[in-house]
Amino acid sequence: MLGGLRLLVFAALGIWSTIPLHSTATAGPGSRQSSCSGVLVSPGLALLVWLTVPCSGPQAEGFSQGGLDASRADLWASANTSLLQGFWCQPARQLSRDQLSALIRRMASQQVPLKAWQLSCLANLAAWHSLQGDFPFHPADLLLFYNLTQVREADCQAFIRHAAQGDMELLANLPDQRAALRHAAMACLGGPRPQLSASDLLLLGILVCDMDASSIVASDPQVLQNLQRCPRLTTTQQAALNTLLASGRTRLGPPNSWNLEGLQTLGRLATYISPGLWVQVQEAVGLDFFSSMVAACRAGQLSQRDTRRFVTGFLEAKAASSRPKRGTGRHCIRGDITAATLRDDLFLVRYDCSQLESCLGSHVLRANLDPLLQHPLPTECQRVVKAKLAQIYPRGIPEEQLRRITSLVYLYSRAEIGQWNITSRDTVVALLASDVALENQTEAVLQKFLDHNGTVTSALLVAIGGSRLCWMSPPQIRAIRPSEFRLAGALDISSCPQSRKDVLYAKAREAFGSTRTTATYYHLMRPYLGGAPVEELQHLAQENVSMDIDTFTNLNPRVLQSLSVGNVTTLLGQNVGDLQKARSHPTISSWLRSLNSSALGELGLDTDPIGPTHPARPTTVTPNTTPWAPHLAPTSGRPGNDAPTSGSPPANLGYLPLAVALPSSLLWLLYRGAWTVASKDGAARAPHAGKLGLVGGAGPLPNVPPPRGLQGWSSATPSSQDLELD
């Protein structure tokens, strides 16, 4: 059973298709043989295989009873990007300072994309181990979460320059930290100044995306390079961009001297150019650039949204500058649209929406729906196409054509979708995988699929994304089988309304409620705790899970009001200081306003509220961290142990491969297999029970009556029925 389980893990990770489970062959160079099953593994995966499931027999070289020896910490540094992307903090608390340092550096060298909930707690672990001073070797995204009051003045510019290469969107739930970064950056420059030079802008990087319009206009034209990194521009920033471009101070010169190469250097910023500037651009240059933008969109190099914004502005300018002679009525002036016409990147310049309606025949539309909809059609033109499809298919669009109209889905009502036949998962994915379909369309499309005996599988949930769960009806959510929900892994439902979060929490409890270890339960339930009742959060606080601040900001605001300062302090654990970084967040500020000055002091917060225009202040009171704080690593009685005298204890990494390497679906399979083996051997305890990598919440749940809302929890002795898949 155990060997087959490992084969499943390797196959799922795409490492090998076949592995000798009982091979007696000698491990060659660069491989290591596991004495549990004879599986040959490479050094970079030895940690994953050896520590994933319990086994008897001699320890592999570099491993000890307590975990990974300091001499084998290089195994951390050999993990690949996909494994490191599954990082979570609970087991990482057991790493020594050197091991955590090696892990963070590996993340930087591999450019591992981590999410906000991972980065915030990792930043706190790094700070606890005094690793923040090694920031030049850390991921830029991680620097965004560091305590800025701990940055030395001598390091200020180097720190900001590195942090400014990160993704500021990760701080969406930490408005005060984002504001503090801006203030710290300006402090590095000697304070606010009326005009930013090219060297200033080089230092500020993506922080320029938070600049106001007047600062953009007054800055060196190098600001265009900074603005290209912004995921979006506000209305006032767009106006400032156009003012700067119109001034002629940029490398492009005045609009009437612009050329194709210069426009292409603007990248996405060109999609914000106003119609008033396009009127001034030479016609040939404008048409060449229009053609290149449409070609990029059709090749998938530019989003439909960005391209449509550009097309709308360009065509508005075109209409204002030209007075074409047009006939009256519905006559086709430009000539009938053919397949060759639709291959022209200037199609939308030659045919406006009126001419599209007059010149597009039913036969051409039916045969060329794909190439037509690859063009970034303005909304008016999309409505023309929809009307023509209704004429061609009065009883509903055939399923094979539905997969081609993803950009039009938002125009259809529930009644119109009710005429469709949706029998294939691929059709559902095509219609819903984009960000076009809205709430009504999502629910209606899924219902048509379910009406034809379709089921919402884990693969479908992953394909359409967690945000689609927000727009499924409560009955549709409840109909998802727990096993499929488990296999889907962590789905991002942070954008869901509270009513949907409540339903999804109940579904997640149904899927994960039988988990007997708090650490694993919390890891699996974390994305869905936005719908958790107060009893659940109080229980998790008692179990010392150290909730990250990103998850905390997504809790139900009404439930949060029922939590005491003590509840919040123990719930956040080592992350409680992050309240300072998020105190302007609506959920946090609402809760803080209900507290008196004494309670604020308990949290290490001063009594003067700070908003997004003020930097974060250092925590003045350190909460009691006894339940979760790492302990000094023993340095005696262990041959060959040269670990530092400060930091975490020798890592018991029995859970670490599960946390770092495996998707939650494999995690469940591994636990099930481990339980089966334990049951057959007569074992009456959870795998790694009592050595979970958590202090204070390591083993099975305490033998106390479960609080209301946690009826799935059980303090009974674990059995082979634990974690059973449906």
Side-chain angles (χ1 to χ4, degrees), residues 428-451:
V428 178
V429 171
L431 291 171
L432 300 184
S434 70
D435 59 355
V436 176
L438 303 177
E439 181 173 359
N440 289 340
Q441 288 85 16
T442 298
E443 182 180 343
V445 167
L446 280 171
Q447 194 57 51
K448 289 301 296 183
F449 178 59
L450 296 174
D451 289 345

Side-chain angles (χ1 to χ4, degrees), residues 534 538 560-570 591 595 603:
V534 65
Q538 289 171 340
L560 186 56
Q561 293 295 327
S562 301
L563 295 179
S564 67
V565 171
N567 291 151
V568 170
T569 300
T570 54
W591 180 70
L595 306 180
L603 292 168

Side-chain angles (χ1 to χ4, degrees), residues 72-290:
R72 298 303 301 153
D74 61 304
L75 290 177
W76 272 109
S78 64
N80 63 31
T81 302
S82 62
L83 302 184
L84 293 175
Q85 200 170 345
F87 168 85
W88 59 301
C89 282
Q90 274 86 345
R93 292 186 218 159
Q94 295 297 318
L95 294 179
S96 71
R97 185 181 191 276
D98 289 345
Q99 289 169 340
L100 184 65
S101 177
L103 174 62
I104 294 175
R105 290 177 182 230
R106 182 65 176 174
M107 288 174 170
S109 66
Q110 291 293 306
Q111 299 182 338
V112 179
L114 297 179
K115 295 182 171 61
W117 67 270
Q118 298 169 304
L119 291 162
S120 62
C121 63
L122 179 59
N124 291 331
L125 281 176
W128 194 90
H129 284 292
S130 302
L131 292 172
Q132 191 166 312
D134 296 336
F135 68 85
F137 308 102
H138 294 179
D141 287 344
L142 184 60
L143 269 62
L144 299 176
F145 293 83
Y146 279 155
N147 185 346
L148 302 179
T149 64
Q150 301 301 312
V151 178
R152 297 186 307 171
E153 186 176 353
D155 293 332
C156 182
Q157 292 206 6
F159 182 91
I160 292 298
R161 182 177 289 107
H162 189 24
Q165 304 306 308
D167 179 8
M168 291 289 286
E169 295 301 294
L170 290 166
L171 297 178
N173 288 327
L174 301 180
D176 299 275
Q177 178 73 353
R178 186 162 180 158
L181 277 167
R182 293 198 304 271
H183 284 270
M186 297 312 298
C188 288
L189 296 174
R193 55 187 66 191
Q195 183 176 358
L196 295 173
S197 66
S199 60
D200 295 338
L201 294 167
L202 186 62
L203 171 73
L204 293 174
I206 200 169
L207 297 177
V208 169
C209 298
D210 287 347
M211 285 173 49
D212 57 34
S214 59
S215 299
I216 293 175
V217 173
S219 295
D220 184 275
Q222 179 71 27
V223 73
L224 296 180
Q225 301 297 318
N226 299 66
L227 293 176
Q228 284 188 27
R229 298 185 55 201
C230 302
R232 68 191 65 83
L233 298 183
T234 65
T235 302
T236 56
Q237 287 176 329
Q238 293 176 38
L241 170 65
N242 281 282
T243 300
L244 180 60
L245 291 173
S247 71
R249 292 194 298 117
T250 69
R251 292 182 180 180
L252 278 73
N256 59 11
S257 68
W258 289 357
N259 57 40
L260 177 62
E261 292 74 19
L263 284 168
Q264 289 175 334
T265 63
L266 291 176
R268 288 182 61 251
L269 291 181
T271 67
Y272 294 106
I273 296 177
S274 67
L277 291 187
W278 284 123
V279 170
Q280 304 175 46
V281 178
Q282 297 178 38
E283 182 179 19
V285 172
L287 292 176
D288 285 347
F289 186 67
F290 185 97

Side-chain angles (χ1 to χ4, degrees), residues 543-726:
E543 294 297 324
N544 303 307
V545 297
S546 287
M547 179 179 288
D548 62 274
I549 191 66
D550 197 68
T551 300
F552 187 77
T553 58
N554 282 300
L555 296 179
N556 186 336
R558 291 187 178 182
V559 170
L560 186 56
Q561 293 295 327
S562 301
L563 295 179
S564 67
V565 171
N567 291 151
V568 170
T569 300
T570 54
L571 181 63
L572 291 173
Q574 65 185 34
N575 304 313
V576 69
D578 289 339
L579 285 172
Q580 185 70 269
K581 303 174 184 177
R583 61 184 301 173
S584 293
H585 187 283
T587 299
I588 306 300
S589 63
S590 175
W591 180 70
L592 292 177
R593 283 196 299 270
S594 68
L595 306 180
N596 56 34
S597 58
S598 175
L600 289 173
E602 288 184 49
L603 292 168
L605 304 175
D606 53 46
T607 57
D608 296 325
I610 62 174
T613 59
H614 298 79
R617 302 183 177 91
T619 301
T620 56
V621 178
T622 303
N624 180 9
T625 59
T626 302
W628 48 262
H631 303 285
L632 295 180
T635 57
S636 62
R638 296 182 60 214
N641 186 352
D642 57 355
T645 57
S646 63
S648 299
N652 172 20
L653 300 181
Y655 268 49
L656 196 51
L658 300 174
V660 176
L662 302 178
S664 51
S665 57
L666 285 177
L667 183 146
W668 279 88
L669 292 172
L670 287 167
Y671 281 143
R672 182 187 183 188
W675 274 116
T676 302
V677 173
S679 177
K680 290 180 179 178
D681 292 342
R685 53 177 288 176
H688 308 285
K691 297 188 288 183
L692 186 59
L694 272 178
V695 180
L701 293 179
N703 188 18
V704 295
R708 183 162 51 89
L710 289 171
Q711 298 305 312
W713 290 84
S714 172
S715 57
T717 302
S719 71
S720 61
Q721 300 300 317
D722 265 7
L723 312 177
E724 187 71 17
L725 295 175
D726 283 3

